C-alpha cells in the first residue's frame, strides 16, 4: 500500500543531531588536550625547579667563577697592562727619536741606530722593549723598528727575526714590514722568498706601497731569468698603477720580458 506524508509533517533531523554530538566530542577532546598540555608544562616546570634546587651550588659556583674572571680581567688590564703599556711607550719614544735622526744623519746613522736598538739615558731600546714588554702594542711596534734598524745596519738575520715577530692591522705598516722582509731575503739571496714577500707587501693594494713592491718583485724576477713572472708583474703595474712613478718606463720592461 502506498504511503505519503501528511501536510505539515516534519521529518526528524538526525544529521544535525549527529553534528551537535560531534561538536560536543570535539570540545571535550579539546578540553582534554589543553588539560594535558598544561599538565605537561606543570611537570616540566616542576622538573626544572627540582633540577635547579638540586644543582644550586654548582650553578652559583659557575656564576661566581664568571664574575671573578670578569673582575680579574678588568683589574689585570687596569693595574697591570695599562701601566706596563705606558712604561713601554715612554721607553720606545726615545728609541724612535734615535731612529728618525738616523734617517736624516747619514754620517752618524750607524751609531744612532745602535742607540735606538740598545737604549740610552736609562731607557730601553727597541730590543729591550720588544723583549720586556712582549704582548703590548709598544712591544709589537718595537719589533718593527728593531727589524728595520738591523736591516739598515746589514744584520739581515736579526732583521728577519724581528720583522717576522711584528704583526699589524695597519695596511701601510704591514706592507712596509713585508717589503723589508723582501729586502732581507734578497740580500740573503733567497730569491723566491724575496719575491713572495714583495708580492705580499703589494697585496694591500694601496697606491703608495703596492707599485713600489711590485716593481721590486718584477726587477728581481727579471734579474733571475724569471721572465714570465716578471712580465706579469710589470703588466700589473701598468694596468693598476699607471699614474705611479714605477709605471713611467714599464712598457720597455714589458717588451723585454715577452
Amino acid at each position: 500500500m502506498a504511503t505519503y506524508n501528511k501536510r505539515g509533517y516534519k521529518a526528524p533531523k538526525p544529521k544535525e543531531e549527529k553534528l551537535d554530538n560531534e561538536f560536543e566530542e570535539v570540545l571535550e577532546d579539546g578540553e582534554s588536550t589543553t588539560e594535558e598540555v598544561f599538565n605537561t608544562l606543570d611537570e616540566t616546570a616542576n622538573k626544572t625547579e627540582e633540577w635547579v634546587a638540586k644543582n644550586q651550588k654548582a650553578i652559583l659556583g659557575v656564576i661566581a667563577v664568571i664574575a671573578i674572571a670578569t673582575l680579574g680581567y678588568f683589574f689585570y688590564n687596569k693595574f697591570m697592562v695599562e701601566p706596563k703599556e705606558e712604561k713601554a711607550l715612554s721607553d720606545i719614544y726615545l728609541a724612535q727619536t734615535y731612529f728618525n735622526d738616523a734617517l736624516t744623519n747619514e754620517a752618524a746613522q750607524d751609531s744612532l741606530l745602535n742607540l735606538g736598538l740598545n737604549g740610552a739615558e736609562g731607557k730601553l731600546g727597541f730590543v729591550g722593549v720588544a723583549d720586556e714588554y712582549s704582548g703590548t702594542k709598544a712591544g709589537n711596534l718595537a719589533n718593527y723598528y728593531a727589524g728595520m734598524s738591523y736591516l739598515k745596519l746589514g744584520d739581515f738575520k736579526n732583521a728577519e727575526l724581528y720583522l717576522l715577530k711584528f704583526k699589524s692591522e695597519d695596511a701601510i705598516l704591514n706592507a712596509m714590514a713585508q717589503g723589508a722582509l723582501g729586502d732581507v731575503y734578497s740580500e740573503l739571496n733567497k730569491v723566491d722568498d724575496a719575491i713572495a714577500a714583495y708580492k705580499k707587501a703589494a697585496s694591500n693594494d694601496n697606491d703608495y706601497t703596492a707599485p713600489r713592491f711590485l716593481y721590486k718583485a718584477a726587477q728581481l724576477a727579471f734579474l733571475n731569468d724569471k721572465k714570465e713572472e716578471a712580465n706579469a708583474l710589470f703588466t700589473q703595474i701598468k694596468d693598476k698603477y699607471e699614474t705611479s712613478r714605477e709605471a713611467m718606463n714599464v712598457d720597455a720592461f714589458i717588451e723585454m720580458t715577452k
Side-chain angles (χ1 to χ4, degrees):
M1 181 175 64
T3 60
Y4 60 91
N5 293 329
K6 293 181 179 180
R7 187 183 298 274
Y9 174 78
K10 293 184 178 179
K13 299 179 180 179
K15 290 184 178 179
E16 290 182 4
E17 291 177 2
K18 186 178 180 181
L19 286 174
D20 289 340
N21 292 335
E22 288 178 352
F23 182 69
E24 289 174 2
E25 289 176 3
V26 168
L27 286 176
E28 290 175 0
D29 290 343
E31 290 173 359
S32 176
T33 302
T34 303
E35 186 178 353
E36 289 177 4
V37 169
F38 278 109
N39 287 336
T40 302
L41 290 175
D42 287 340
E43 289 176 8
T44 303
N46 289 333
K47 288 179 180 179
T48 302
E49 289 175 2
E50 289 175 5
W51 184 89
V52 170
K54 185 178 179 181
N55 297 278
Q56 188 174 15
K57 289 184 178 179
I59 294 170
L60 291 175
V62 171
I63 294 172
V65 168
I66 294 172
I68 291 170
T70 303
L71 288 172
Y73 179 78
F74 171 78
F75 285 114
Y76 175 76
N77 277 283
K78 186 69 177 176
F79 298 107
M80 295 291 290
V81 175
E82 289 180 11
K84 190 177 181 182
E85 192 78 63
E86 290 177 9
K87 179 66 169 62
L89 287 171
S90 175
D91 282 346
I92 201 175
Y93 176 77
L94 182 61
Q96 285 175 309
T97 302
Y98 288 128
F99 180 86
N100 292 331
D101 288 345
L103 300 181
T104 57
N105 189 342
E106 191 173 343
Q109 186 175 81
D110 286 3
S111 61
L112 288 169
L113 288 173
N114 278 307
L115 285 172
L117 282 167
N118 301 312
E121 301 178 30
K123 301 289 186 181
L124 294 173
F126 296 128
V127 172
V129 173
D131 292 343
E132 187 165 332
Y133 299 102
S134 176
T136 67
K137 293 178 181 179
N140 181 50
L141 190 60
N143 286 318
Y144 171 80
Y145 278 106
M148 299 298 283
S149 297
Y150 280 123
L151 174 60
K152 292 181 179 299
L153 289 169
D155 186 344
F156 304 119
K157 288 293 185 181
N158 272 320
E160 178 187 16
L161 176 67
Y162 283 97
L163 287 170
L164 285 174
K165 290 180 181 179
F166 175 69
K167 308 295 179 186
S168 176
E169 294 181 2
D170 184 276
I172 300 298
L173 267 182
N174 192 51
M176 295 299 290
Q178 287 297 323
L181 269 175
D183 293 341
V184 167
Y185 293 136
S186 179
E187 292 290 346
L188 294 173
N189 202 31
K190 297 180 178 180
V191 175
D192 291 337
D193 289 338
I195 292 173
Y198 287 139
K199 285 182 177 180
K200 189 173 181 179
S203 65
N204 66 63
D205 200 27
N206 72 80
D207 293 339
Y208 173 66
T209 59
R212 173 183 172 185
F213 293 122
L214 281 174
Y215 190 79
K216 284 193 171 189
Q219 287 279 16
L220 191 59
F222 176 62
L223 292 173
N224 286 274
D225 203 30
K226 297 175 180 288
K227 288 189 176 183
E228 185 176 348
E229 186 171 13
N231 183 271
L233 292 165
F234 283 127
T235 301
Q236 189 176 345
I237 294 171
K238 180 179 179 179
D239 292 344
K240 296 185 68 175
Y241 307 103
E242 60 181 354
T243 60
S244 66
R245 183 182 64 180
E246 288 77 12
M248 290 179 60
N249 299 311
V250 77
D251 286 332
F253 287 109
I254 291 173
E255 287 297 321
M256 292 170 63
T257 53
K258 282 184 177 179

